[in-house]
């Protein structure tokens, strides 16, 4: 069974900002289950999903939530798989609330927390791929190609800037 990632979000209102995460996972060839499941609004279906995920080949959870963001912590409380938390930058507090709720876990309940804003969802996807690449040489090669392409794109941007500056 190939390794799968589960991307959970607390609300469909989070999805637009998570599309770059899904896109990055797809570019790297990772299979992904994407679900709206809330620690607060659908607690029982969330736990059912988490408890069944390992049996379906899920090897890692990405959990995105805003506000009082308990999603990643609740998932981590119900699994031994790695949990990556993505705090969403919702109004009125701009994501500081979600960042603190996701990062400040009690000892014994690990959640690797990513940044607030557009970098967080992409970096969480890349980090998930790096973890899974430890046991998947083909994925490791795709990650290396992705990093090279990124460097080339920055070099092109620099060349354009130099041309503009004369
Ligand atoms: C969180 O509450 C969700 O992750 C979302 O960021 C936030 C607001 O949800 P909606 O009221 O937009 O459904 O659980």
């Amino acid at each position: 069974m190939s390794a799968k990632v589960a991307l959970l979000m607390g609300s469909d209102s989070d999805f637009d900002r998570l599309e770059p995460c899904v896109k990055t996972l797809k570019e790297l060839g990772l299979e992904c289950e994407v679900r709206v499941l809330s620690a607060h609004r659908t607690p029982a279906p969330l736990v059912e999903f988490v408890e069944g995920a390992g049996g379906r080949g899920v090897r890692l959870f990405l959990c995105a939530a805003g506000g009082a963001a308990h999603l990643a912590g609740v998932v981590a409380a119900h699994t031994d798989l790695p949990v990556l938390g993505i705090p969403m930058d919702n109004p009125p507090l701009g994501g500081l609330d979600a960042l603190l709720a996701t990062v400040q876990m009690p000892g014994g309940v690990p959640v690797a927390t990513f940044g607030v804003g557009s970098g967080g969802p992409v970096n969480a996807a890349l980090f998930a791929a790096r973890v899974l690449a430890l046991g998947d040489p083909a994925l490791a090669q795709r990650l290396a190609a992705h990093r090279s392409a990124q460097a080339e794109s920055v070099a092109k941007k620099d060349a354009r800037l130099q041309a503009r500056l004369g």
Side-chain angles (χ1 to χ4, degrees):
M1 196 187 305
S2 66
K4 251 196 285 189
V5 170
L7 170 61
L8 310 185
M9 65 202 81
S11 170
D12 61 340
S13 66
D14 299 320
F15 182 66
D16 286 354
R17 287 163 289 160
L18 293 170
E19 278 196 297
C21 176
V22 176
K23 183 172 172 266
T24 303
L25 292 168
K26 282 190 179 159
E27 279 170 6
L28 291 167
L30 284 172
E31 204 182 326
C32 187
E33 290 188 35
V34 183
R35 296 287 306 271
V36 177
L37 285 165
S38 164
H40 306 113
R41 292 167 175 160
T42 62
L46 171 64
V47 172
E48 194 184 335
F49 177 89
V50 173
E51 289 179 346
R56 293 193 307 277
V58 170
R59 291 292 167 263
L60 195 144
F61 290 96
L62 297 158
C63 300
H70 295 126
L71 182 61
V74 169
V75 171
H78 288 87
T79 183
D80 293 314
L81 295 172
V83 177
L84 281 51
I86 306 171
M88 302 305 294
D89 55 351
N90 292 359
L93 300 184
L96 182 58
D97 43 2
L99 173 63
L100 296 178
T102 307
V103 78
Q104 289 289 8
M105 293 302 298
V109 187
V111 170
T113 303
F114 287 81
V116 175
S118 62
V122 171
N123 282 343
L126 290 170
F127 192 88
R130 288 182 177 201
V131 170
L132 297 172
L134 291 171
D136 183 341
L139 176 56
Q141 278 189 358
R142 294 198 293 279
L143 264 172
H146 186 276
R147 199 155 57 88
S148 296
Q150 180 172 257
E152 274 171 33
S153 131
V154 173
K156 278 185 195 150
K157 286 177 189 168
D158 180 53
R160 276 200 297 273
L161 180 63
Q162 299 313 313
R164 203 169 134 190
L165 293 172

